[in-house]
Amino acid sequence: MNITKWVAALSFAATLYLTPQITAAQDSLFIIPKPTIQIAKTGHYLYKPKTEVFASVDFKDAAALLREHPYLKFDQVKTLKNAKRLPNQGVVLVKASKEDTLAQNAYRLEIRKDRIVITAHQPQSLLHGISTLRQIAYTRKDTKSLPAVWIEDRPAFGYRGLMLDVSRHFLPLTFLKKYIDLLSLYKLNTFHWHLTDGAGWRLEIKKYPELTQFAAWRSDASWKNWWNNDRKYAEMGSPAAFGGFYTAEQVKELINYAAKRGITVIPEIEMPAHSEEVLAAYPNLSCYGLPYKNSEFCIGNEDTFTFLQNVLDEVLEIFPSKYIHIGGDEADKAAWKQCPKCQKVIKDHNLKDEHGLQSYAIKRMEAFLSSKGRKLIGWDEILEGGLAPGATVMSWRGENGGIEAANSGHDVIMTPGSHLYLDSYQTNPIGQPEAIGGYLPLKKVYSYQPIPAEIAPAKRKHILGVQANVWAEYMPTSNQVDYMVFPRAIALSEIAWTPVSQKNWDDFHSRLQKHYRLLQQFNVNYYPPSSNLSILSNFDMVNKIAQVKINSEQFRPEIRYTLDGTTPTTNSPLYQDGISLSQTGIVKAGIFKNQLPAGKVQELEVDLHKAIGKKVTYNNKYSSNYPAQKELTLVNGQTGDLTYGDGQWQGFLGDLDVTIDLENQQALQQLKMRYMQLTGPGVYMPANVKVALSTDGINFKTIQQVDNDVPYTDASLRFKTFIFDLKGNAARYIRITAKNEKKGFMFSDEVVVY
């Protein structure tokens, strides 16, 4: 489509969106992802007991997806003989003419009183139009009629993916089909299938039967129990064996099922690391020649490449996808350093080090796949040591890998853990099923923008798209997968499809309310919006005022609050846009429905204290990975939320040792400092915290030590405030030390001084 015409159409549509007379009609459609152009028309289409369906020859196969529409019933798809003379009733699927200004990857959906017409240039785009029509049906309470509308729509990105890990916990084919159904309804077009990892091999490879007779089974159904104990595998048929695998025929069945719904299935076969299960079955491929010793293939052993190429030959016979994912992440290179064969390859090929050795292996696999007409894709560690020329990078360790690869001219899929790892908690972990850690609420997922500003404008074309990942260590059942994925995957769909300029959280949140009806009809065990509140304070350094925000996952909740420490009632002030405090106070808030409390009362003590904005000297530096607000973090008047990645918790890998300069000597009353513990990702409480005071910044006197009483064996999210009584003391300088006994991460919140 001519770009000038497209921009003009967008501007025209934006004007129509603001026209009052169409608001009511538009409110009856709640499409996600948001269409590029949506114009309400007058009237309604009424579903009939039987509907005639017509399709252009090229679209007759795609028309089969209409049979999954809940209210359209028809006998056969009739051939549309003349695209210029359309039937005046029924559902018509039309191949766009060459003269049509519709973009090549777009569809047009016209719902009128007499008929429904979907127009597209290609079957894939037509399937998107059918998905929109189906989604409308599932999200409407009125199942008998459909409001008239004109939609013209196309995706912002060509790659729109959702990954699922079935290695940690095997999932049945019936669930995977439901997963595919939902991807299709939300116009995601790629199912990234993580089929192999240390926890189990899940794909039948006929040349290597031990992969499914042994490496697919382990000694405990629970990944966590297995991981924390012997990590052994079991023979298929053993009463103690847990696991499973998919036969080649089952995989082909799923691939065909997905293709009919516009979904490409990309397999992931892990290499050179995360391969403990392979090396247990075929220990000759390990540097040590022994099972249960390490997880990396021996790169110096030619048998490794024979094995991997034989496996990929069978994978290529099963999967028609252009991309084949080879993992490439988290290789522990210790075995390679000690292996004579690996060291010989480094020497013979003039490689710099073990990073170069990994690059050598990846480049060989990339060349092999390229010779078969396929493309290699891997996690961003494949950048280490030099990237294979035709490789595509999946950037998960933040965005830096993707930025580097794109600026170097390589294609990239953005999938940063900070915004798109759906194994993180989506609310306060207390009371939630165990997850890997972190905190990723729906709103944060929605906020992600796939093209970082650091990518040169001419290189932004290399950002092919975006993907969310579902790692299943703590998802033992399909119900738990549902719970962690939805509705966050729905937010992903709008990131991947809708231009950034048209995204709006409040609008999305409003439309989402109708999609719980759809999820219920597909028996999805989704995460329901919590009735808990998040209360956060941000200090205005200029005006010396704390700005308090109260956030809720509920849609337009009635929130009432108090500032005097009392419990809110229906007569308490109604929260609207924010609360300003010029002195210390306790904010308590709760949600009310029908004049009754609807959830727990939450509270936050807002501390306007002596240390806000004062100079902090770091005797031990904070971690560069978690700098938060750097030197201002501990005295910015703002408390951290539920996650150490929120930009307010400052991380330390060693002891914390800081000195605060209050600028003048003054009487002190109390000091408070909060820490968190979440042992899964290695976050621990300090063993103890000490406070020392000084008048000159040189000579310090220790006033008090407070010991930790939270057990390191407690795996739940815990917070502890270390409180120090400073009454009777005066000082200008305060030195705080916190002992990092576990040598993991230690995260500190605000230092509050009175």
Side-chain angles (χ1 to χ4, degrees):
M1 182 180 185
N2 181 283
I3 189 65
T4 304
K5 291 182 178 178
W6 181 258
V7 172
L10 284 177
S11 300
F12 175 64
T15 302
L16 287 174
Y17 256 170
L18 299 175
T19 305
Q21 62 263 32
I22 64 172
T23 301
Q26 281 183 340
D27 283 346
S28 63
L29 295 179
F30 299 85
I31 302 166
I32 299 176
K34 185 177 183 178
T36 313
I37 303 172
Q38 179 180 323
I39 303 170
K41 300 289 186 177
T42 57
H44 286 74
Y45 175 88
L46 298 177
Y47 294 111
K48 299 174 178 61
K50 278 281 181 75
T51 301
E52 286 190 288
V53 175
F54 303 86
S56 298
V57 173
D58 291 356
F59 291 166
K60 290 195 74 172
D61 289 342
L65 190 59
L66 274 176
R67 296 196 181 280
E68 299 190 11
H69 191 290
Y71 313 125
L72 284 176
K73 309 298 178 186
F74 55 95
D75 294 325
Q76 62 180 356
V77 179
K78 299 177 181 180
T79 302
L80 182 65
K81 297 179 180 179
N82 189 341
K84 293 183 179 180
R85 296 181 60 187
L86 302 182
N88 56 14
Q89 46 79 40
V91 177
V92 187
L93 310 178
V94 186
K95 183 175 175 63
S97 67
K98 293 179 180 178
E99 296 77 27
D100 197 321
T101 57
L102 188 70
Q104 284 295 315
N105 63 343
Y107 71 88
R108 183 185 299 122
L109 171 61
E110 299 174 83
I111 300 173
R112 304 185 349 182
K113 287 188 286 187
D114 53 349
R115 68 185 182 192
I116 298 172
V117 181
I118 305 177
T119 306
H121 287 283
Q122 52 193 4
Q124 180 69 47
S125 299
L126 181 84
L127 290 174
H128 293 151
I130 293 175
S131 290
T132 296
L133 191 63
R134 293 177 61 213
Q135 188 189 106
I136 292 170
Y138 283 115
T139 53
R140 282 180 58 75
K141 189 175 183 180
D142 180 0
T143 61
K144 296 179 180 179
S145 70
L146 194 57
V149 71
W150 186 93
I151 291 172
E152 192 165 314
D153 198 13
R154 66 172 178 174
F157 293 97
Y159 185 107
R160 306 179 300 281
L162 189 62
M163 185 275 274
L164 182 61
D165 162 25
V166 295
S167 172
R168 272 65 176 216
H169 291 102
F170 180 78
L171 293 164
L173 206 64
T174 51
F175 173 74
L176 298 181
K177 288 182 176 180
K178 183 178 83 168
Y179 203 75
I180 294 292
D181 287 336
L182 292 162
L183 264 66
S184 176
L185 279 166
Y186 290 103
K187 301 186 184 70
L188 297 169
N189 66 352
T190 305
F191 173 46
H192 172 179
W193 202 0
H194 188 81
L195 285 160
T196 75
D197 212 306
W201 183 282
R202 304 294 176 217
L203 176 64
E204 178 188 29
I205 300 295
K206 292 182 171 62
K207 194 173 185 69
Y208 299 103
E210 284 300 295
L211 292 175
T212 45
Q213 294 297 309
F214 180 68
W217 308 89
R218 61 179 184 242
S219 55
D220 200 302
S222 163
W223 172 86
K224 184 179 179 181
N225 291 340
W226 174 80
W227 185 257
N228 289 334
N229 291 291
D230 63 6
R231 301 189 193 178
K232 294 294 175 65
Y233 303 94
E235 287 287 346
M236 182 179 179
S238 165
F242 297 90
F245 64 92
Y246 308 98
T247 66
E249 291 308 309
Q250 287 175 322
V251 172
K252 289 177 182 177
E253 178 187 344
L254 187 69
I255 290 170
N256 290 333
Y257 187 87
K260 290 176 181 177
R261 289 154 180 78
I263 310 293
T264 297
V265 182
I266 294 178
E268 181 177 355
I269 307 298
E270 276 277 9
M271 61 183 85
H274 287 286
S275 299
E276 297 97 323
E277 83 287 19
V278 178
L279 302 181
Y282 298 97
N284 60 299
L285 303 179
S286 162
C287 289
Y288 299 103
L290 297 169
Y292 306 113
K293 191 76 172 170
N294 68 305
S295 63
E296 291 76 28
F297 285 103
C298 178
I299 306 304
N301 185 351
E302 275 301 307
D303 289 345
T304 290
F305 293 97
T306 301
F307 170 84
L308 292 173
Q309 290 175 5
N310 287 339
V311 167
L312 288 179
D313 275 335
E314 292 196 33
V315 169
L316 298 182
E317 288 179 9
I318 299 169
F319 291 87
S321 60
K322 175 177 72 173
Y323 283 116
I324 303 296
H325 203 300
I326 56 85
D329 61 312
E330 298 182 325
D332 182 350
K333 301 170 177 65
W336 298 344
K337 291 179 180 179
Q338 301 174 19
C339 174
K341 292 179 182 179
C342 290
Q343 291 301 309
K344 185 175 186 300
V345 170
I346 291 175
K347 181 179 179 181
D348 290 350
H349 292 270
N350 296 314
L351 305 177
K352 185 177 180 181
D353 53 18
E354 286 72 26
H355 292 298
L357 184 66
Q358 172 163 313
S359 177
Y360 162 83
I362 299 299
K363 286 176 180 177
R364 282 190 63 171
M365 300 316 300
E366 190 272 335
F368 174 77
L369 289 172
S370 181
S371 73
K372 304 285 185 176
R374 307 298 184 93
K375 294 195 71 173
L376 179 146
I377 189 169
W379 304 110
D380 56 54
E381 284 94 333
I382 66 174
L383 287 162
E384 296 171 359
L387 187 58
T392 296
V393 172
M394 198 166 268
S395 186
W396 73 277
R397 296 178 299 175
E399 295 182 321
N400 289 339
I403 293 167
E404 178 187 343
N407 282 333
S408 299
H410 289 276
D411 289 341
V412 175
I413 311 297
M414 298 303 288
T415 177
S418 59
H419 289 77
L420 297 174
Y421 266 45
L422 305 188
D423 52 345
S424 298
Y425 286 105
Q426 50 204 318
T427 189
N428 188 334
I430 298 171
Q432 290 292 303
E434 185 178 7
I436 198 167
Y439 175 53
L440 181 57
L442 179 69
K443 189 173 184 179
K444 185 174 180 181
V445 175
Y446 188 80
S447 72
Y448 185 62
Q449 298 185 16
I451 301 182
E454 294 87 343
I455 297 176
K459 301 291 187 180
R460 291 176 183 176
K461 63 184 179 182
H462 289 295
I463 303 298
L464 302 183
V466 62
Q467 174 175 293
N469 298 324
V470 184
W471 300 102
E473 286 93 337
Y474 297 92
M475 302 180 202
T477 66
S478 56
N479 266 354
Q480 184 61 12
V481 173
D482 275 351
Y483 188 81
M484 299 301 284
V485 172
F486 294 98
R488 290 188 288 189
I490 301 178
L492 167 71
S493 76
E494 191 142 308
I495 296 169
W497 182 277
T498 305
V500 171
S501 61
Q502 289 187 261
K503 283 178 58 188
N504 179 279
W505 164 254
D506 291 333
D507 176 47
F508 169 80
H509 199 203
S510 175
R511 282 177 283 126
L512 178 65
Q513 304 313 304
K514 301 299 180 184
H515 286 255
Y516 293 112
R517 174 184 293 274
L518 183 155
L519 296 176
Q520 289 161 6
Q521 291 175 87
F522 278 80
N523 297 311
V524 177
N525 181 48
Y526 60 85
Y527 165 77
S530 171
S531 59
N532 290 335
L533 296 172
S534 171
I535 310 176
L536 296 173
S537 173
N538 184 26
F539 190 74
D540 181 342
M541 293 285 184
V542 176
N543 298 307
K544 307 299 182 185
I545 292 175
Q547 305 287 351
V548 178
K549 294 285 186 181
I550 305 176
N551 299 306
S552 172
E553 296 175 14
Q554 298 285 323
F555 181 63
R556 296 176 183 168
E558 178 187 331
I559 301 173
R560 298 195 176 269
Y561 70 93
T562 62
L563 301 177
D564 59 3
T566 60
T567 300
T569 68
T570 53
N571 295 320
S572 299
L574 180 67
Y575 176 79
Q576 292 179 319
D577 239 354
I579 305 167
S580 297
L581 293 179
S582 56
Q583 59 185 14
T584 294
I586 297 177
V587 179
K588 288 190 175 183
I591 295 177
F592 289 80
K593 290 183 180 178
N594 301 319
Q595 302 293 305
L596 294 172
K600 293 182 179 179
V601 171
Q602 310 291 320
E603 69 176 76
L604 174 70
E605 185 170 0
V606 180
D607 294 296
L608 277 67
H609 56 90
K610 296 176 183 289
I612 291 179
K614 299 300 189 287
K615 181 181 177 181
V616 179
T617 300
Y618 285 78
N619 306 308
N620 279 347
K621 194 70 174 175
Y622 47 77
S623 166
S624 60
N625 291 326
Y626 295 97
Q629 308 305 308
K630 299 184 178 178
E631 275 65 22
L632 190 60
T633 303
L634 302 179
V635 291
N636 67 354
Q638 187 166 341
T639 54
D641 203 353
L642 298 172
T643 173
Y644 52 78
D646 70 350
Q648 295 301 328
W649 289 92
Q650 194 164 61
F652 295 83
L653 281 169
D655 295 345
L656 176 146
D657 187 347
V658 298
T659 302
I660 300 173
D661 180 359
L662 297 178
E663 298 177 353
N664 53 68
Q665 184 166 326
Q666 49 193 289
L668 302 174
Q669 298 293 319
Q670 187 186 68
L671 184 146
K672 299 186 295 183
M673 201 171 185
R674 190 169 67 133
Y675 291 83
M676 74 159 57
Q677 178 166 294
L678 189 62
T679 61
V683 178
Y684 296 94
M685 292 285 180
N688 57 67
V689 182
K690 295 180 183 178
V691 170
L693 303 179
S694 171
T695 58
D696 58 8
I698 299 172
N699 302 297
F700 284 86
K701 177 183 178 183
T702 299
I703 302 301
Q704 189 179 358
Q705 173 178 312
V706 177
D707 295 329
N708 174 47
D709 57 3
V710 176
Y712 291 131
T713 54
D714 187 341
S716 62
L717 177 65
R718 294 290 300 271
F719 298 94
K720 177 179 174 62
T721 301
F722 291 75
I723 302 175
F724 300 84
D725 184 358
L726 304 181
K727 292 175 184 174
N729 291 284
R732 172 176 173 174
Y733 299 93
I734 303 175
R735 185 173 183 179
I736 305 161
T737 55
K739 183 69 176 175
N740 189 344
E741 184 176 67
K742 296 296 289 184
K743 303 306 178 186
F745 269 104
M746 188 170 67
F747 281 92
S748 177
D749 199 1
E750 181 88 354
V751 178
V752 177
V753 180
Y754 287 108

